Amino acid sequence: MCFRTHLSLASSPPRADIYHWLIQPRPSIAARVTFFAPLGSNSLGRELTAALQPQKACTRHTCCHASSQDSDSQIASTEQEPTADKADKAQDATRWQVPWDGGQVARLMIQIWALEAISVPLLTQLRGLSLAETSFSDKAVSAAAVQFLKLLGAVLIVRRGLTPYKPLPPNWYKYRLNAEALGLGVSGGVTAVCLTLLTAAATGGAAAQNTGTVKTLLGDRQAITMAAIGTASILGAPLLEEYTYRGFLLPSLTKWMPAPAAVLTQAVIFAGSHLSAGDLVPLTALGVCLGTVTVAAEGNLVAPTLAHAFYNAAILYTIAK
């Protein structure tokens, strides 16, 4: 008690000295508050302490607000970057990179069409057969052999033509058997059957080429004939045409046009290659379905091949019954 009285009365400097001390620069606000803490009993000390404390709190609030804004902006930027990366990856997933020009596309397609034109007479010449004189079973076996001969030739033509561009960019000739491919294949096949049957009924065409010939061959009812026709229709034709049109032509066209236009263009070319004017509309509808399945599968050719096989199997069953 005596010490406090002595400090406050005897040791306290005059007020003029306190004001002189205040106007001198000091290192920090915290030091000033600490200095005036013993003057809590003095009215001047209380006023100065109260005046300095809100200023310190305000400074702290400003700093915290600025730091919170910086942290929020950093979090927002880190959240936006993965979203942008996912969008770019999703866009790249359905985009093909085409390093060759239109001349190369035309040359390879002409070579494939030429092979298809000469494959039948070439095979019959090699076997020494005359299709007019052979039995149904021989014709069916010859048709199956022609399909696989054309498939082998198309693979060799495309692989040889694309050798200068290897390794090929992503999504080219991708074969992956998974649940997504199975689902797209079945749904695409059902859609193709329904759509082609509707267009065939509306236009008076047929849902498949050479329907009369296939029906005549199946009328033989021999096991070898039915096995050969089934193998050629369900296995050979889908592998050949998906490799050629949805595996090569469709992705190549996306270099010069958007994917929907490329799907329609390759479908028209696919239908025209069958050289049947009456079946042009149904086969175009089939090509559109298979092209759409290819784009939806992000270039996985298992999906359109399964859809094509399902379609051919359904049409073959319809013809045979």
Side-chain angles (χ1 to χ4, degrees):
M1 179 67 70
C2 296
F3 176 77
R4 287 191 176 185
T5 304
H6 177 75
L7 179 63
S8 61
L9 297 176
S11 300
S12 298
R15 292 193 176 190
D17 294 339
I18 293 176
Y19 284 123
H20 179 72
W21 184 87
L22 285 174
I23 63 176
Q24 294 180 357
R26 288 291 180 261
S28 65
I29 294 176
R32 297 177 190 179
V33 175
T34 304
F35 177 81
F36 285 107
L39 302 179
S41 61
N42 192 308
S43 61
L44 178 62
R46 288 195 300 268
E47 292 174 2
L48 292 174
T49 303
L52 290 174
Q53 287 293 344
Q55 183 178 3
K56 180 179 179 182
C58 180
T59 305
R60 181 183 301 168
H61 175 71
T62 305
C63 296
C64 294
H65 181 66
S67 62
S68 64
Q69 285 183 341
D70 294 339
S71 62
D72 291 342
S73 61
Q74 291 177 358
I75 293 173
S77 62
T78 55
E79 289 178 353
Q80 290 176 357
E81 288 178 359
T83 303
D85 293 341
K86 289 180 180 179
D88 293 338
K89 290 180 180 180
Q91 189 176 7
D92 292 337
T94 56
R95 183 191 304 145
W96 288 276
Q97 298 177 7
V98 185
W100 45 84
D101 56 8
Q104 182 70 356
V105 177
R107 283 190 293 270
L108 294 184
M109 292 303 300
I110 290 173
Q111 292 177 25
I112 293 173
W113 290 331
L115 174 65
E116 293 181 358
I118 67 173
S119 59
V120 174
L122 177 62
L123 181 64
T124 54
Q125 183 67 29
L126 291 176
R127 293 187 62 188
L129 298 174
S130 173
L131 292 180
E133 300 176 355
T134 54
S135 62
F136 287 162
S137 60
D138 287 337
K139 289 180 181 180
V141 171
S142 298
V146 166
Q147 283 291 346
F148 288 100
L149 177 64
K150 291 190 292 185
L151 172 62
L152 177 61
V155 171
L156 293 177
I157 290 171
V158 173
R159 288 179 63 87
R160 181 176 177 275
L162 301 185
T163 299
Y165 308 98
K166 290 183 177 181
L168 297 179
N171 295 337
W172 280 94
Y173 288 109
K174 180 172 63 177
Y175 289 91
R176 294 176 183 173
L177 182 59
N178 49 38
E180 182 183 10
L182 291 174
L184 287 172
V186 173
S187 60
V190 172
T191 304
V193 171
C194 297
L195 186 59
T196 51
L197 289 177
L198 288 174
T199 54
T203 60
Q209 189 189 26
N210 298 326
T211 304
T213 303
V214 173
K215 190 171 184 177
T216 302
L217 292 176
L218 292 176
D220 188 25
R221 296 297 178 179
Q222 293 186 9
I224 186 172
T225 303
M226 300 184 70
I229 293 297
T231 303
S233 301
I234 301 174
L235 185 60
L239 287 173
L240 167 64
E241 293 175 344
E242 299 313 308
Y243 186 91
T244 303
Y245 293 96
R246 265 64 66 179
F248 174 69
L249 182 59
L250 170 59
S252 297
L253 291 175
T254 58
K255 182 176 183 178
W256 301 280
M257 60 186 71
V263 168
L264 179 59
T265 303
Q266 65 83 27
V268 173
I269 297 174
F270 166 73
S273 67
H274 289 78
L275 303 177
S276 178
D279 304 334
L280 183 62
V281 175
L283 291 176
T284 301
L286 173 62
V288 169
C289 288
L290 297 175
T292 303
V293 169
T294 304
V295 174
E298 299 178 355
N300 186 3
L301 293 180
V302 171
T305 302
L306 289 176
H308 200 160
F310 183 90
Y311 169 83
N312 283 2
I315 298 301
L316 195 64
Y317 174 77
T318 304
I319 296 173
K321 70 174 184 178

